[in-house]
Amino acid sequence: MNKSLSKFLQIAIPLGLGIFLIWYVYNLFTPEQLKQTYRHFEEANYWIVALSVFLSVLSHLLRAYRWNFMLEPLGYHPRIANNFMAVSVAYLMNIFIPKSGEVSRAVVLSKYEGVPFDKGFGTIITERVIDLLLLLVFTIIALVLQFDALYSYITESIPLKKILIALGSLTVLGTVFLLYLKNSRGAFAMKLKGFVDGLKEGLFSIVKMKKKGLFILYSLIIWGLYIAAFYTATLALEETSGISAGIVIITFVVGSFTFAFTNSGFGTYPAAIMGILLIFGIAKSVGLALGVIVWTSNIISILFFGVLSFILLPLYNRNKI
């Protein structure tokens, strides 16, 4: 496939999916439900939303600080301000071009701190591995905490026979896929093997880290701040201010997965928040309002700090360029 066409599709497909979901969700609502949604926007406590955003930004700052735990053993000691601005630029780039943030982050550190691109990028991949593992841990916690409610919803919505057929089909497909991955020498299989090897390498790199205890502690604090930020946002609406910790965690987890499908969760995040809260008896208008408020407030923050970082980076580093 032509490289230009491939890049275009990488941007257009997620964007198109997000636009479709916005249109689809909009058409699910009656005029009265839309009025209720607008009313939730008007009644939301935006001081609480601002506190939620502050907690998110604090997690980004700690991520910038934690980055040095991986860079110091390589012989590099970048300034935290440059790390933070690199992280901010990365989040900004991901809004427009999916998965481009990791590359731009390594480029920024290479330009302003002299960290070779390959080494900087390697530490970022390691970070992503840890983030994925922690997201999986929270997914398991969420499923355990809300197992009964989710099980009841699935069994009531989908006949048991279809569930068993789906599980059997997934088992067969999973087995075939693993056999293919093990025996194939094709380009796709080799890329997947490389990805798996990268996950292993990233995980084991923590063992070699001098400050691995602090790295793990900071990682837990960062993800704790993510959940705290989402929980704080639920307090902005009266209808979601009393939901349980289990619902908060599973809603947070579902929302987190949407960032893999569209540009920073565009379209998918509000729809997912609405859908999961609906399972727990929270009205569509409330779930959609919460999803839009959380997503929009964070995107505004990312745009602000990302653009500001683009402006400040050359000024802050003018004596080093």
Side-chain angles (χ1 to χ4, degrees):
M1 182 183 293
N2 182 277
K3 286 186 177 180
S4 298
L5 178 60
S6 177
K7 289 181 180 179
F8 171 76
L9 291 176
Q10 287 176 16
I11 298 172
I13 291 176
L15 186 62
L17 175 60
I19 293 171
F20 168 76
L21 281 171
I22 292 172
W23 172 83
Y24 178 75
V25 170
Y26 179 82
N27 282 278
L28 288 176
F29 281 64
T30 64
E32 181 58 33
Q33 288 173 324
L34 287 173
K35 288 180 182 178
Q36 291 173 356
T37 304
Y38 298 144
R39 189 170 68 250
H40 295 315
F41 290 141
E42 293 173 353
E43 295 175 351
N45 187 329
Y46 287 99
W47 287 109
I48 292 178
V49 175
L51 176 58
S52 170
V53 171
F54 170 76
L55 293 173
S56 294
V57 174
L58 183 58
S59 73
H60 301 164
L61 182 60
L62 291 182
R63 180 178 290 276
Y65 186 82
R66 185 189 64 172
W67 197 2
N68 275 0
F69 294 159
M70 291 180 286
L71 291 167
E72 285 174 359
L74 302 177
Y76 301 99
H77 305 272
R79 289 168 289 179
I80 304 302
N82 277 334
N83 285 3
F84 177 75
M85 287 188 282
V87 169
S88 298
V89 168
Y91 284 123
L92 176 67
M93 293 303 296
N94 277 335
I95 294 177
F96 302 102
I97 307 174
K99 312 302 181 187
S100 66
E102 287 79 2
V103 174
S104 60
R105 186 173 156 188
V107 168
V108 169
L109 210 64
S110 175
K111 180 176 181 179
Y112 293 109
E113 288 288 351
V115 178
F117 175 83
D118 56 341
K119 292 184 178 181
F121 189 71
T123 60
I124 294 167
I125 296 303
T126 301
E127 265 194 17
R128 288 298 177 226
V129 173
I130 304 307
D131 288 338
L132 177 60
L133 290 173
L134 286 172
L135 180 57
L136 291 175
V137 168
F138 282 112
T139 301
I140 293 169
I141 292 172
L143 291 174
V144 170
L145 289 175
Q146 294 298 326
F147 177 80
D148 291 341
L150 292 173
Y151 178 78
S152 298
Y153 175 80
I154 292 171
T155 52
E156 289 173 8
S157 304
I158 308 172
L160 181 60
K161 183 178 179 180
K162 289 187 177 181
I163 294 174
L164 293 174
I165 291 173
L167 289 174
S169 301
L170 285 173
T171 302
V172 172
L173 288 172
T175 303
V176 171
F177 177 76
L178 290 174
L179 289 172
Y180 162 77
L181 193 62
K182 181 179 179 180
N183 299 307
S184 176
R185 294 293 179 269
F188 178 70
M190 297 306 291
K191 282 185 178 180
L192 281 177
K193 289 177 183 178
F195 175 73
V196 172
D197 289 340
L199 291 180
K200 291 179 181 177
E201 185 178 351
L203 182 60
F204 284 113
S205 69
I206 299 177
V207 178
K208 303 174 184 177
M209 197 181 301
K210 292 180 180 179
K211 298 180 180 178
K212 50 181 171 285
L214 276 176
F215 181 88
I216 293 171
L217 176 62
Y218 270 74
S219 299
L220 292 173
I221 293 173
I222 288 167
W223 278 83
L225 283 170
Y226 288 162
I227 295 177
F230 181 77
Y231 168 71
T232 301
T234 66
L235 302 178
L237 293 176
E238 183 180 350
E239 294 81 0
T240 56
S241 60
I243 60 177
S244 67
I247 296 176
V248 168
I249 293 174
I250 196 165
T251 307
F252 163 79
V253 166
V254 170
S256 297
F257 277 112
T258 64
F259 286 80
F261 299 107
T262 58
N263 308 41
S264 296
F266 173 69
T268 56
Y269 186 90
I273 298 300
M274 180 193 74
I276 192 68
L277 287 179
L278 191 61
I279 293 175
F280 297 102
I282 296 174
K284 287 191 298 184
S285 59
V286 176
L288 181 63
L290 178 65
V292 171
I293 288 170
V294 173
W295 186 83
T296 304
S297 60
N298 277 279
I299 291 299
I300 291 172
S301 169
I302 288 170
L303 288 169
F304 174 78
F305 284 102
V307 172
L308 187 65
S309 295
F310 262 120
I311 295 170
L312 292 181
L313 272 167
L315 298 175
Y316 180 71
N317 295 279
R318 60 183 176 272
N319 294 328
K320 294 192 66 176
I321 299 176

Short mmCIF file of all heavy atoms in Angstrom, two decimals, residues 238-295:
data_model
loop_
_atom_site.label_atom_id
_atom_site.label_comp_id
_atom_site.label_asym_id
_atom_site.label_seq_id
_atom_site.Cartn_x
_atom_site.Cartn_y
_atom_site.Cartn_z
N GLU A 238 -24.93 15.82 40.05
CA GLU A 238 -25.63 15.28 41.22
C GLU A 238 -26.00 13.81 41.00
O GLU A 238 -25.92 13.00 41.92
CB GLU A 238 -26.90 16.10 41.48
CG GLU A 238 -27.66 15.66 42.72
CD GLU A 238 -28.91 16.49 42.96
OE1 GLU A 238 -29.08 17.52 42.27
OE2 GLU A 238 -29.70 16.11 43.84
N GLU A 239 -26.36 13.46 39.75
CA GLU A 239 -26.84 12.10 39.46
C GLU A 239 -25.73 11.05 39.52
O GLU A 239 -26.02 9.85 39.63
CB GLU A 239 -27.50 12.07 38.07
CG GLU A 239 -28.77 12.87 37.96
CD GLU A 239 -28.53 14.36 37.75
OE1 GLU A 239 -27.36 14.79 37.70
OE2 GLU A 239 -29.53 15.10 37.63
N THR A 240 -24.47 11.46 39.40
CA THR A 240 -23.37 10.49 39.45
C THR A 240 -22.51 10.65 40.70
O THR A 240 -21.54 9.90 40.88
CB THR A 240 -22.46 10.63 38.21
OG1 THR A 240 -21.98 11.98 38.12
CG2 THR A 240 -23.20 10.28 36.94
N SER A 241 -22.87 11.59 41.55
CA SER A 241 -22.02 11.87 42.72
C SER A 241 -22.05 10.76 43.76
O SER A 241 -21.18 10.70 44.63
CB SER A 241 -22.44 13.19 43.37
OG SER A 241 -23.80 13.12 43.79
N GLY A 242 -23.03 9.86 43.67
CA GLY A 242 -23.13 8.82 44.68
C GLY A 242 -22.81 7.42 44.19
O GLY A 242 -23.07 6.44 44.89
N ILE A 243 -22.25 7.29 43.00
CA ILE A 243 -21.98 5.95 42.47
C ILE A 243 -20.84 5.29 43.24
O ILE A 243 -19.96 5.95 43.78
CB ILE A 243 -21.66 5.97 40.95
CG1 ILE A 243 -20.43 6.83 40.66
CG2 ILE A 243 -22.86 6.47 40.17
CD1 ILE A 243 -20.04 6.83 39.20
N SER A 244 -20.86 3.97 43.28
CA SER A 244 -19.90 3.21 44.09
C SER A 244 -18.51 3.20 43.46
O SER A 244 -18.34 3.51 42.28
CB SER A 244 -20.37 1.76 44.25
OG SER A 244 -20.34 1.09 43.00
N ALA A 245 -17.53 2.80 44.27
CA ALA A 245 -16.14 2.73 43.80
C ALA A 245 -16.01 1.73 42.65
O ALA A 245 -15.26 1.95 41.69
CB ALA A 245 -15.22 2.34 44.95
N GLY A 246 -16.75 0.62 42.75
CA GLY A 246 -16.69 -0.39 41.69
C GLY A 246 -17.15 0.14 40.36
O GLY A 246 -16.54 -0.12 39.32
N ILE A 247 -18.24 0.92 40.36
CA ILE A 247 -18.76 1.52 39.12
C ILE A 247 -17.78 2.56 38.59
O ILE A 247 -17.56 2.65 37.38
CB ILE A 247 -20.16 2.13 39.35
CG1 ILE A 247 -21.16 1.04 39.73
CG2 ILE A 247 -20.63 2.87 38.10
CD1 ILE A 247 -22.54 1.57 40.08
N VAL A 248 -17.20 3.34 39.50
CA VAL A 248 -16.20 4.33 39.08
C VAL A 248 -15.04 3.66 38.36
O VAL A 248 -14.62 4.09 37.27
CB VAL A 248 -15.67 5.13 40.30
CG1 VAL A 248 -14.44 5.94 39.92
CG2 VAL A 248 -16.75 6.05 40.84
N ILE A 249 -14.53 2.58 38.94
CA ILE A 249 -13.35 1.92 38.37
C ILE A 249 -13.68 1.29 37.02
O ILE A 249 -12.93 1.46 36.05
CB ILE A 249 -12.79 0.85 39.34
CG1 ILE A 249 -12.22 1.53 40.58
CG2 ILE A 249 -11.70 0.02 38.66
CD1 ILE A 249 -11.78 0.57 41.66
N ILE A 250 -14.81 0.58 36.92
CA ILE A 250 -15.11 -0.08 35.65
C ILE A 250 -15.44 0.94 34.57
O ILE A 250 -15.09 0.75 33.40
CB ILE A 250 -16.26 -1.11 35.80
CG1 ILE A 250 -16.27 -2.03 34.58
CG2 ILE A 250 -17.62 -0.44 35.98
CD1 ILE A 250 -17.08 -3.28 34.75
N THR A 251 -16.07 2.06 34.94
CA THR A 251 -16.35 3.11 33.96
C THR A 251 -15.05 3.75 33.50
O THR A 251 -14.87 4.03 32.30
CB THR A 251 -17.29 4.17 34.55
OG1 THR A 251 -18.44 3.54 35.10
CG2 THR A 251 -17.73 5.17 33.49
N PHE A 252 -14.15 3.99 34.43
CA PHE A 252 -12.83 4.53 34.10
C PHE A 252 -12.09 3.59 33.14
O PHE A 252 -11.50 4.04 32.15
CB PHE A 252 -12.02 4.73 35.38
CG PHE A 252 -10.55 4.89 35.14
CD1 PHE A 252 -10.03 6.11 34.71
CD2 PHE A 252 -9.67 3.83 35.33
CE1 PHE A 252 -8.66 6.26 34.48
CE2 PHE A 252 -8.31 3.97 35.11
CZ PHE A 252 -7.80 5.19 34.68
N VAL A 253 -12.11 2.29 33.43
CA VAL A 253 -11.41 1.30 32.60
C VAL A 253 -11.98 1.28 31.18
O VAL A 253 -11.25 1.32 30.19
CB VAL A 253 -11.50 -0.10 33.24
CG1 VAL A 253 -11.09 -1.18 32.23
CG2 VAL A 253 -10.62 -0.17 34.48
N VAL A 254 -13.31 1.22 31.08
CA VAL A 254 -13.95 1.21 29.76
C VAL A 254 -13.60 2.47 28.98
O VAL A 254 -13.28 2.41 27.79
CB VAL A 254 -15.48 1.06 29.90
CG1 VAL A 254 -16.18 1.28 28.56
CG2 VAL A 254 -15.84 -0.32 30.45
N GLY A 255 -13.64 3.60 29.65
CA GLY A 255 -13.28 4.85 28.99
C GLY A 255 -11.83 4.86 28.52
O GLY A 255 -11.52 5.36 27.43
N SER A 256 -10.94 4.27 29.31
CA SER A 256 -9.52 4.24 28.95
C SER A 256 -9.27 3.46 27.66
O SER A 256 -8.41 3.84 26.86
CB SER A 256 -8.70 3.61 30.09
OG SER A 256 -8.80 4.39 31.28
N PHE A 257 -10.01 2.38 27.47
CA PHE A 257 -9.81 1.56 26.27
C PHE A 257 -10.23 2.30 24.99
O PHE A 257 -9.74 1.97 23.91
CB PHE A 257 -10.60 0.25 26.38
CG PHE A 257 -9.89 -0.81 27.17
CD1 PHE A 257 -10.38 -1.23 28.40
CD2 PHE A 257 -8.72 -1.39 26.69
CE1 PHE A 257 -9.72 -2.21 29.13
CE2 PHE A 257 -8.05 -2.37 27.41
CZ PHE A 257 -8.56 -2.78 28.64
N THR A 258 -11.10 3.28 25.11
CA THR A 258 -11.58 3.98 23.90
C THR A 258 -10.48 4.77 23.21
O THR A 258 -10.59 5.05 22.02
CB THR A 258 -12.74 4.94 24.24
OG1 THR A 258 -12.26 5.99 25.10
CG2 THR A 258 -13.88 4.20 24.92
N PHE A 259 -9.43 5.14 23.96
CA PHE A 259 -8.36 5.94 23.37
C PHE A 259 -7.58 5.16 22.31
O PHE A 259 -6.84 5.74 21.53
CB PHE A 259 -7.41 6.45 24.46
CG PHE A 259 -8.00 7.55 25.28
CD1 PHE A 259 -8.89 7.28 26.31
CD2 PHE A 259 -7.70 8.88 25.02
CE1 PHE A 259 -9.45 8.30 27.07
CE2 PHE A 259 -8.25 9.91 25.76
CZ PHE A 259 -9.13 9.61 26.78
N ALA A 260 -7.75 3.84 22.31
CA ALA A 260 -7.06 3.02 21.31
C ALA A 260 -7.80 2.99 19.98
O ALA A 260 -7.22 2.59 18.95
CB ALA A 260 -6.90 1.58 21.83
N PHE A 261 -9.06 3.44 19.95
CA PHE A 261 -9.87 3.30 18.75
C PHE A 261 -9.98 4.58 17.92
O PHE A 261 -10.06 4.52 16.70
CB PHE A 261 -11.28 2.82 19.13
CG PHE A 261 -11.30 1.49 19.80
CD1 PHE A 261 -11.56 1.37 21.16
CD2 PHE A 261 -11.03 0.33 19.09
CE1 PHE A 261 -11.57 0.14 21.79
CE2 PHE A 261 -11.03 -0.92 19.70
CZ PHE A 261 -11.30 -1.01 21.06
N THR A 262 -10.00 5.73 18.58
CA THR A 262 -10.10 6.99 17.83
C THR A 262 -9.11 7.99 18.42
O THR A 262 -8.49 7.74 19.45
CB THR A 262 -11.52 7.58 17.91
OG1 THR A 262 -11.87 7.78 19.29
CG2 THR A 262 -12.53 6.66 17.27
N ASN A 263 -8.98 9.12 17.74
CA ASN A 263 -8.04 10.16 18.18
C ASN A 263 -8.38 10.62 19.59
O ASN A 263 -9.33 11.36 19.81
CB ASN A 263 -8.11 11.36 17.24
CG ASN A 263 -7.94 10.98 15.79
OD1 ASN A 263 -8.48 9.97 15.33
ND2 ASN A 263 -7.20 11.76 15.05
N SER A 264 -7.59 10.16 20.56
CA SER A 264 -7.78 10.53 21.97
C SER A 264 -9.21 10.31 22.45
O SER A 264 -9.75 11.08 23.24
CB SER A 264 -7.37 11.99 22.18
OG SER A 264 -5.99 12.17 21.93
N GLY A 265 -9.85 9.24 21.97
CA GLY A 265 -11.21 8.91 22.40
C GLY A 265 -12.30 9.75 21.78
O GLY A 265 -13.44 9.75 22.26
N PHE A 266 -11.99 10.46 20.67
CA PHE A 266 -12.98 11.31 20.00
C PHE A 266 -14.20 10.50 19.60
O PHE A 266 -14.12 9.54 18.83
CB PHE A 266 -12.35 11.95 18.76
CG PHE A 266 -13.32 12.71 17.90
CD1 PHE A 266 -13.87 13.90 18.34
CD2 PHE A 266 -13.68 12.23 16.65
CE1 PHE A 266 -14.76 14.61 17.56
CE2 PHE A 266 -14.57 12.94 15.85
CZ PHE A 266 -15.11 14.13 16.31
N GLY A 267 -15.37 10.88 20.14
CA GLY A 267 -16.61 10.18 19.82
C GLY A 267 -16.82 8.91 20.61
O GLY A 267 -17.92 8.64 21.09
N THR A 268 -15.77 8.12 20.78
CA THR A 268 -15.91 6.83 21.45
C THR A 268 -16.00 6.98 22.97
O THR A 268 -16.71 6.21 23.62
CB THR A 268 -14.72 5.90 21.12
OG1 THR A 268 -13.49 6.56 21.46
CG2 THR A 268 -14.71 5.54 19.64
N TYR A 269 -15.27 7.95 23.54
CA TYR A 269 -15.25 8.07 25.00
C TYR A 269 -16.63 8.40 25.57
O TYR A 269 -17.13 7.66 26.45
CB TYR A 269 -14.21 9.13 25.43
CG TYR A 269 -14.02 9.20 26.92
CD1 TYR A 269 -13.07 8.41 27.56
CD2 TYR A 269 -14.80 10.04 27.70
CE1 TYR A 269 -12.90 8.47 28.94
CE2 TYR A 269 -14.64 10.10 29.08
CZ TYR A 269 -13.69 9.32 29.69
OH TYR A 269 -13.53 9.37 31.05
N PRO A 270 -17.30 9.47 25.12
CA PRO A 270 -18.64 9.76 25.67
C PRO A 270 -19.61 8.61 25.46
O PRO A 270 -20.43 8.30 26.34
CB PRO A 270 -19.07 11.01 24.91
CG PRO A 270 -17.79 11.67 24.48
CD PRO A 270 -16.87 10.53 24.17
N ALA A 271 -19.53 7.96 24.28
CA ALA A 271 -20.45 6.86 23.98
C ALA A 271 -20.21 5.69 24.94
O ALA A 271 -21.15 5.06 25.42
CB ALA A 271 -20.27 6.41 22.53
N ALA A 272 -18.93 5.40 25.22
CA ALA A 272 -18.60 4.29 26.11
C ALA A 272 -19.02 4.57 27.55
O ALA A 272 -19.55 3.69 28.24
CB ALA A 272 -17.10 4.02 26.05
N ILE A 273 -18.79 5.81 28.00
CA ILE A 273 -19.20 6.17 29.36
C ILE A 273 -20.71 6.06 29.50
O ILE A 273 -21.23 5.54 30.49
CB ILE A 273 -18.73 7.61 29.70
CG1 ILE A 273 -17.20 7.71 29.66
CG2 ILE A 273 -19.26 8.03 31.07
CD1 ILE A 273 -16.48 6.81 30.61
N MET A 274 -21.43 6.56 28.49
CA MET A 274 -22.89 6.46 28.50
C MET A 274 -23.34 5.00 28.55
O MET A 274 -24.22 4.63 29.34
CB MET A 274 -23.47 7.13 27.25
CG MET A 274 -24.98 7.09 27.16
SD MET A 274 -25.59 7.57 25.51
CE MET A 274 -25.14 6.09 24.56
N GLY A 275 -22.71 4.15 27.72
CA GLY A 275 -23.12 2.76 27.62
C GLY A 275 -22.88 1.98 28.90
O GLY A 275 -23.76 1.22 29.35
N ILE A 276 -21.73 2.17 29.54
CA ILE A 276 -21.42 1.38 30.74
C ILE A 276 -22.26 1.86 31.92
O ILE A 276 -22.72 1.05 32.73
CB ILE A 276 -19.90 1.43 31.06
CG1 ILE A 276 -19.55 0.38 32.13
CG2 ILE A 276 -19.47 2.80 31.52
CD1 ILE A 276 -19.68 -1.04 31.67
N LEU A 277 -22.50 3.17 32.03
CA LEU A 277 -23.32 3.67 33.13
C LEU A 277 -24.78 3.26 32.97
O LEU A 277 -25.50 3.08 33.96
CB LEU A 277 -23.21 5.20 33.22
CG LEU A 277 -21.88 5.74 33.76
CD1 LEU A 277 -21.88 7.26 33.78
CD2 LEU A 277 -21.58 5.20 35.16
N LEU A 278 -25.21 3.10 31.72
CA LEU A 278 -26.59 2.65 31.47
C LEU A 278 -26.83 1.26 32.06
O LEU A 278 -27.92 0.95 32.55
CB LEU A 278 -26.85 2.65 29.96
CG LEU A 278 -28.31 2.47 29.51
CD1 LEU A 278 -29.18 3.60 30.06
CD2 LEU A 278 -28.38 2.43 27.99
N ILE A 279 -25.80 0.42 32.05
CA ILE A 279 -25.90 -0.92 32.63
C ILE A 279 -26.23 -0.84 34.12
O ILE A 279 -26.96 -1.68 34.65
CB ILE A 279 -24.58 -1.70 32.42
CG1 ILE A 279 -24.36 -1.97 30.93
CG2 ILE A 279 -24.57 -3.01 33.21
CD1 ILE A 279 -23.03 -2.61 30.62
N PHE A 280 -25.72 0.20 34.77
CA PHE A 280 -25.92 0.33 36.22
C PHE A 280 -27.09 1.26 36.55
O PHE A 280 -27.18 1.80 37.65
CB PHE A 280 -24.63 0.84 36.87
CG PHE A 280 -23.48 -0.11 36.70
CD1 PHE A 280 -22.51 0.13 35.74
CD2 PHE A 280 -23.40 -1.26 37.47
CE1 PHE A 280 -21.45 -0.76 35.57
CE2 PHE A 280 -22.34 -2.15 37.30
CZ PHE A 280 -21.36 -1.91 36.35
N GLY A 281 -27.98 1.46 35.58
CA GLY A 281 -29.21 2.17 35.84
C GLY A 281 -29.13 3.68 35.80
O GLY A 281 -30.03 4.37 36.28
N ILE A 282 -28.05 4.22 35.23
CA ILE A 282 -27.91 5.67 35.13
C ILE A 282 -28.37 6.11 33.75
O ILE A 282 -27.94 5.56 32.74
CB ILE A 282 -26.45 6.10 35.40
CG1 ILE A 282 -26.09 5.75 36.85
CG2 ILE A 282 -26.25 7.59 35.15
CD1 ILE A 282 -24.65 5.98 37.20
N ALA A 283 -29.22 7.09 33.69
CA ALA A 283 -29.87 7.52 32.45
C ALA A 283 -28.85 7.89 31.37
O ALA A 283 -27.76 8.38 31.66
CB ALA A 283 -30.79 8.71 32.73
N LYS A 284 -29.27 7.65 30.11
CA LYS A 284 -28.40 7.97 28.97
C LYS A 284 -27.97 9.43 28.98
O LYS A 284 -26.81 9.75 28.69
CB LYS A 284 -29.12 7.67 27.65
CG LYS A 284 -29.26 6.21 27.32
CD LYS A 284 -29.74 6.01 25.89
CE LYS A 284 -31.10 6.61 25.64
NZ LYS A 284 -31.60 6.32 24.28
N SER A 285 -28.89 10.31 29.30
CA SER A 285 -28.58 11.75 29.27
C SER A 285 -27.50 12.09 30.29
O SER A 285 -26.61 12.91 30.01
CB SER A 285 -29.85 12.57 29.55
OG SER A 285 -30.39 12.24 30.82
N VAL A 286 -27.53 11.43 31.44
CA VAL A 286 -26.52 11.67 32.48
C VAL A 286 -25.17 11.11 32.05
O VAL A 286 -24.14 11.79 32.15
CB VAL A 286 -26.95 11.03 33.83
CG1 VAL A 286 -25.85 11.20 34.87
CG2 VAL A 286 -28.26 11.63 34.31
N GLY A 287 -25.18 9.87 31.56
CA GLY A 287 -23.93 9.23 31.14
C GLY A 287 -23.25 9.97 30.01
O GLY A 287 -22.03 10.17 30.01
N LEU A 288 -24.05 10.42 29.04
CA LEU A 288 -23.48 11.16 27.92
C LEU A 288 -22.93 12.50 28.39
O LEU A 288 -21.83 12.90 27.99
CB LEU A 288 -24.54 11.39 26.84
CG LEU A 288 -24.04 12.13 25.60
CD1 LEU A 288 -22.98 11.32 24.87
CD2 LEU A 288 -25.20 12.44 24.65
N ALA A 289 -23.67 13.19 29.25
CA ALA A 289 -23.20 14.48 29.77
C ALA A 289 -21.88 14.31 30.51
O ALA A 289 -20.94 15.10 30.30
CB ALA A 289 -24.25 15.09 30.68
N LEU A 290 -21.78 13.29 31.36
CA LEU A 290 -20.54 13.06 32.09
C LEU A 290 -19.39 12.76 31.14
O LEU A 290 -18.29 13.32 31.27
CB LEU A 290 -20.70 11.90 33.08
CG LEU A 290 -19.44 11.54 33.88
CD1 LEU A 290 -19.04 12.68 34.79
CD2 LEU A 290 -19.67 10.25 34.68
N GLY A 291 -19.63 11.90 30.16
CA GLY A 291 -18.59 11.55 29.19
C GLY A 291 -18.10 12.75 28.41
O GLY A 291 -16.89 12.93 28.23
N VAL A 292 -19.02 13.59 27.97
CA VAL A 292 -18.65 14.78 27.20
C VAL A 292 -17.88 15.76 28.08
O VAL A 292 -16.87 16.33 27.65
CB VAL A 292 -19.90 15.46 26.60
CG1 VAL A 292 -19.53 16.81 25.99
CG2 VAL A 292 -20.53 14.57 25.53
N ILE A 293 -18.33 15.95 29.32
CA ILE A 293 -17.66 16.89 30.23
C ILE A 293 -16.24 16.44 30.53
O ILE A 293 -15.29 17.23 30.47
CB ILE A 293 -18.47 17.05 31.53
CG1 ILE A 293 -19.75 17.84 31.26
CG2 ILE A 293 -17.64 17.73 32.61
CD1 ILE A 293 -20.73 17.85 32.42
N VAL A 294 -16.06 15.16 30.86
CA VAL A 294 -14.73 14.64 31.18
C VAL A 294 -13.82 14.73 29.96
O VAL A 294 -12.68 15.22 30.05
CB VAL A 294 -14.81 13.17 31.67
CG1 VAL A 294 -13.40 12.59 31.83
CG2 VAL A 294 -15.56 13.10 32.99
N TRP A 295 -14.32 14.29 28.81
CA TRP A 295 -13.48 14.27 27.61
C TRP A 295 -13.12 15.70 27.18
O TRP A 295 -11.96 16.00 26.92
CB TRP A 295 -14.20 13.54 26.48
CG TRP A 295 -13.35 13.37 25.26
CD1 TRP A 295 -12.43 12.39 25.03
CD2 TRP A 295 -13.32 14.23 24.11
NE1 TRP A 295 -11.82 12.58 23.80
CE2 TRP A 295 -12.35 13.70 23.22
CE3 TRP A 295 -14.02 15.38 23.73
CZ2 TRP A 295 -12.07 14.28 21.99
CZ3 TRP A 295 -13.73 15.97 22.51
CH2 TRP A 295 -12.76 15.42 21.65
#
